[in-house]
Amino acid sequence: KAMEEEKEIKKRILPFYENILEGIVSGDIRHGNNKVYTKSSIGNWNAFGKYLRSYCKPTDTFDDITKSYADKFCAFLDRKKLMPTTCNKYIICFRRLCNLAAEYGVNHNATSLKVWKERNVHESEKRAEIYLTEDELDAIFSFPLQGEDEQARDLFILGYLSCQRFSDYGSLSEANFSKTISGTPVIKIRQTKTDNYVEVPIIDERVEYICDKYNYHFPKISSRRINDFLLSAMKKVALVYPSLMEKY
C-alpha cells in the first residue's frame, strides 16, 4: 500500500511542475535542441505556474487530465481576462508539462498528451499594433522634460531607434557600442529573449546625442517603473501633440 501511495504522489501535477521549473531555471532541463531556456521562457513558465497552482488541486495527478479537465483550464484562463495569445502560451506549457511527465515515466495517461489545443486568435482579439510617426517621435524627443520622466523618455528613444526590446536596451553600456571595419557605428547585443547576437547599425543621430548626453552611463530603470514614467511623460507631450492621446 505504501508503494502505491508513493507512485500516486509521483503522478501529482503540482510537485512535478515545481521540479521541472527548478530544472528549467538551473539549466538542467533544456529545449529539444539542447539550448537552455531564455529569461523570457523562464518568465512564461513562472507565470504559467501561478495559474496552475490556482487551478489544480494538490492531489490532482496526470491520470486526472481528460478533455473536460483541459477545457475547464482554458475556461479558467478566459475568466482571468487574459489575452488569447497569453492563454495559448499557458496551454502550450501544460502540454509540454504532460509530455515531460511522460518522458520521466510519471505520466502514463495518453489522453493528457492530446487534449491541449490552442485557440484560434481572431484579428479582433489581437493587441493593436501601435507605431509612432516621425513627427510624433520628433515631438517626444524634443519635448522639455525633467527628472525620471526625461530619463525614461531618453531610454525609450534609444530602444525605439535601435529596434530592441526593453530587456536589451534597458541594460546597454559603452561596451555595447563599437564600429565595424568599414567605420559604421553599431550596437552589439546578445539578445536576452532569443539569445541571438545582433549588430545594429546606428543610422540616427539622436542615438549618438543620447549616448553623449549620458556619456554611455544610461539610467537604470526597471521595466515596471519605466512604463510609469513613460505614461507620465507622454501625457505631457500629448498636451501639445494630441495624436498621442488617441486610444486603440
Side-chain angles (χ1 to χ4, degrees):
K1 186 175 179 180
M3 288 183 65
E4 289 180 3
E5 287 180 356
E6 187 178 346
K7 284 182 180 180
E8 195 70 13
I9 290 172
K10 284 184 178 180
K11 292 180 183 179
R12 290 180 182 174
I13 297 169
L14 290 178
F16 184 78
Y17 162 78
E18 300 297 349
N19 287 333
I20 290 298
L21 179 63
E22 184 178 337
I24 288 174
V25 172
S26 68
D28 292 335
I29 294 176
R30 304 190 173 200
H31 285 296
N33 55 12
N34 203 34
K35 282 189 175 182
V36 296
Y37 283 79
T38 64
K39 286 184 180 179
S40 176
S41 294
I42 292 172
N44 284 338
W45 275 90
N46 269 312
F48 163 62
K50 171 186 171 183
Y51 295 102
L52 187 71
R53 295 183 193 103
S54 295
Y55 177 75
C56 292
K57 298 184 184 71
T59 55
D60 282 359
T61 70
F62 290 100
D63 288 342
D64 294 316
I65 297 178
T66 61
K67 184 177 186 306
S68 174
Y69 190 97
D71 288 346
K72 287 178 180 177
F73 178 72
C74 295
F76 166 78
L77 295 179
D78 285 338
R79 289 195 298 274
K80 297 297 181 181
K81 307 297 183 184
L82 300 175
M83 295 282 292
T85 50
T86 302
C87 291
N88 282 345
K89 284 182 185 178
Y90 300 152
I91 291 167
I92 291 170
C93 283
F94 214 148
R95 182 170 63 214
R96 176 64 175 147
L97 189 71
C98 292
N99 276 279
L100 283 169
E103 291 172 16
Y104 280 87
V106 298
N107 178 15
H108 302 286
N109 176 12
T111 300
S112 71
L113 310 180
K114 304 174 184 177
V115 293
W116 302 105
K117 308 295 182 184
E118 295 120 273
R119 285 181 48 184
N120 291 324
V121 182
H122 303 291
E123 285 298 321
S124 61
E125 297 176 307
K126 293 180 180 178
R127 181 180 288 119
E129 298 290 340
I130 306 297
Y131 68 92
L132 296 172
T133 67
E134 188 61 33
D135 287 342
E136 288 171 336
L137 191 63
D138 279 337
I140 294 167
F141 176 74
S142 60
F143 193 85
L145 294 167
Q146 294 181 336
E148 290 175 297
D149 283 354
E150 178 183 17
Q151 293 177 356
R153 182 270 312 279
D154 291 345
L155 270 181
F156 171 73
I157 293 290
L158 184 61
Y160 188 97
L161 295 176
S162 62
C163 304
Q164 299 305 304
R165 303 175 184 89
F166 175 80
S167 57
D168 298 314
Y169 77 76
S171 57
L172 289 175
S173 68
E174 188 171 5
N176 296 108
F177 293 80
S178 64
K179 290 186 178 181
T180 63
I181 296 175
S182 63
T184 302
V186 295
I187 302 174
K188 296 181 177 181
I189 299 173
R190 173 70 65 179
Q191 293 177 319
T192 300
K193 181 175 182 178
T194 61
D195 199 38
N196 291 331
Y197 174 78
V198 297
E199 293 188 5
V200 184
I202 299 173
I203 58 176
D204 193 299
E205 61 184 14
R206 287 171 290 195
V207 173
E208 295 179 350
Y209 174 86
I210 293 171
C211 291
D212 291 340
K213 179 176 180 178
Y214 292 98
N215 195 26
Y216 295 95
H217 297 295
F218 305 109
K220 299 300 180 185
I221 307 174
S222 70
S223 59
R224 182 173 181 177
R225 285 177 65 78
I226 199 172
N227 284 336
D228 292 338
F229 292 130
L230 277 174
L231 182 60
S232 170
M234 293 301 181
K235 283 180 177 178
K236 294 172 184 175
V237 182
L239 293 175
V240 295
Y241 214 94
S243 70
L244 294 170
M245 283 187 172
E246 293 175 7
K247 294 184 178 181
Y248 297 85

